[in-house]
C-alpha cells in the first residue's frame, strides 16, 4: 500500500478466519470488522481486489481470504494509531484462531493469538515505523 498524491495513506487489512470456521462465518467476521473500521475517521473502506492481496505463500496471507480491505486515511492526525488499536481490540474480542494482517508500504504486521504484551510490542514497533512518515 502507498500514499496517494493527496497525502492519504492506503492500508491493506486482511482477515484470515479460523480454519475451523465456514465461509459464512468468515464473511460475517469481515463485515463486522469493516463496520468497526467505518466508525473511525477514515476516508474510505473498500473490499480489496484480488490483485491487491499478496500471492499464495506470502507471509501471513491466505489466498482464499474472505476479508481483504483497502482502508484509506489521512496521513495527518491520529487516525492511523486509532485504526491499529481498533483492529487489535476487535481481534481480541473474537473467539477462535483468527488472524489479521495490516500492510503499509510493503511492511506487514500480523495480529493473532499472541499474548496482550506480545501484541502490544508488535503494534508499538509497527506504529513507530509508520506514524511519523
Amino acid at each position: 500500500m502507498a500514499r496517494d498524491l493527496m497525502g492519504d495513506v492506503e492500508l491493506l487489512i486482511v482477515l484470515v478466519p479460523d480454519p475451523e470456521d465456514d465461509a459464512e462465518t468468515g464473511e460475517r467476521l469481515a463485515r463486522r470488522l469493516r463496520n468497526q473500521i467505518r466508525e473511525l475517521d477514515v476516508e474510505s473502506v473498500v473490499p480489496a481486489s484480488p490483485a491487491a492481496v499478496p500471492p499464495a505463500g506470502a507471509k501471513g496471507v491466505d489466498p482464499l481470504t474472505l476479508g481483504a480491505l483497502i482502508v484509506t486515511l489521512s496521513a495527518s492526525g491520529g487516525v492511523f494509531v486509532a485504526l491499529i488499536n481498533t483492529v487489535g481490540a476487535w481481534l481480541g474480542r473474537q473467539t477462535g484462531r483468527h488472524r489479521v494482517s495490516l500492510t503499509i508500504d510493503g511492511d506487514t504486521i500480523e495480529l493473532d493469538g499472541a499474548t496482550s504484551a506480545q501484541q502490544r510490542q508488535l503494534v508499538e514497533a509497527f506504529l513507530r515505523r509508520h506514524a511519523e512518515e
Side-chain angles (χ1 to χ4, degrees), residues 101-112:
S101 67
L102 301 101
T103 303
I104 185 171
D105 293 331
D107 186 17
T108 300
I109 182 174
E110 185 172 304
L111 306 176
D112 58 14

Side-chain angles (χ1 to χ4, degrees), residues 14-19 60-62 65-67 97-101:
V14 178
L15 167 64
V16 180
D18 186 323
V61 177
D62 179 342
T65 300
L66 300 169
R97 297 174 300 155
H98 312 300
R99 296 183 324 230
V100 177
S101 67

Side-chain angles (χ1 to χ4, degrees), residues 2-133:
R3 296 177 190 280
D4 67 14
L5 296 175
M6 301 195 49
D8 289 343
V9 175
E10 287 187 342
L11 183 76
L12 173 65
I13 298 178
V14 178
L15 167 64
V16 180
D18 186 323
E20 300 293 319
D21 288 345
D22 60 17
E24 183 178 317
T25 301
E27 289 174 15
R28 190 171 44 251
L29 286 166
R31 205 171 31 253
R32 287 182 190 154
L33 178 58
R34 186 173 54 246
N35 289 338
Q36 186 93 40
I37 293 169
R38 282 186 177 141
E39 292 178 11
L40 300 172
D41 190 21
V42 297
E43 300 297 320
S44 67
V45 180
V46 296
S49 68
V53 179
K59 183 179 177 189
V61 177
D62 179 342
L64 301 176
T65 300
L66 300 169
L69 305 169
I70 301 288
V71 179
T72 304
L73 52 111
S74 173
S76 62
V79 179
F80 180 68
V81 174
L83 173 65
I84 302 297
N85 290 334
T86 296
V87 171
W90 178 88
L91 186 60
R93 290 189 303 271
Q94 307 308 308
T95 59
R97 297 174 300 155
H98 312 300
R99 296 183 324 230
V100 177
S101 67
L102 301 101
T103 303
I104 185 171
D105 293 331
D107 186 17
T108 300
I109 182 174
E110 185 172 304
L111 306 176
D112 58 14
T115 67
S116 295
Q118 291 169 327
Q119 293 271 29
R120 189 171 43 256
Q121 289 174 343
L122 260 171
V123 168
E124 287 172 0
F126 188 75
L127 290 171
R128 279 193 300 274
R129 289 193 301 270
H130 297 286
E132 298 300 322
E133 293 182 352

